[in-house]
């Protein structure tokens, strides 16, 4: 009778759970914990004090951080773009 309906709800709840899980994992990855470095761990450029104050535990200069961020964005972006396309068509 109304069985299919309840099952749909349970499935989307599960999907939301795993999205939340993935999001919190990504957030954890983006917020390094520990002591801020005075110089970038990758290229050894000095990290500006304002950046160190704004990002506790920062290990990379702006350039290296942006490179990493864009690598993550690319990975997530492919999926997002794909599902947007299929919604529009
Ligand atoms: Zn750097």
């Amino acid at each position: 009778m109304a069985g299919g309906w309840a099952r749909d709800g349970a499935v989307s709840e599960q999907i939301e759970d795993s999205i939340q899980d993935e999001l919190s994992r990504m957030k954890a990855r983006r917020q390094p914990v520990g002591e801020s470095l005075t110089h970038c761990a990758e290229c050894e450029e000095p990290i500006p004090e304002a950046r160190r104050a704004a990002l506790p535990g920062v290990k990379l200069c702006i350039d290296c951080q942006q490179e990493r961020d864009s690598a993550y964005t690319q990975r997530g972006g492919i999926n997002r773009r794909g599902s947007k396309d299929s919604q529009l068509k």
Side-chain angles (χ1 to χ4, degrees):
M1 303 167 194
W5 205 90
R7 246 161 62 199
D8 279 356
V11 168
S12 67
E13 228 168 80
Q14 259 185 7
I15 291 170
E16 264 170 48
D17 272 0
S18 60
I19 290 173
Q20 286 302 320
D21 211 47
E22 186 61 33
L23 278 179
S24 52
R25 239 177 292 155
M26 279 172 66
K27 269 189 204 159
R29 223 185 273 151
R30 274 184 195 207
Q31 286 175 344
V33 204
E35 273 182 55
S36 305
L37 297 181
T38 53
H39 290 74
C40 175
E42 299 232 335
C43 69
E44 296 184 358
E45 282 284 314
I47 300 172
E49 208 164 301
R51 176 170 169 75
R52 291 166 55 216
L55 296 167
V58 68
K59 305 250 189 302
L60 299 172
C61 71
I62 293 169
D63 283 348
C64 293
Q65 185 67 59
Q66 275 177 350
E67 230 168 85
R68 281 203 185 183
D69 281 353
S70 69
Y72 285 131
T73 313
Q74 260 175 10
R75 251 175 51 191
I78 289 165
N79 273 342
R80 234 172 272 152
R81 231 174 282 142
S83 59
K84 228 185 234 169
D85 266 3
S86 51
Q87 273 173 3
L88 287 173
K89 275 166 196 171

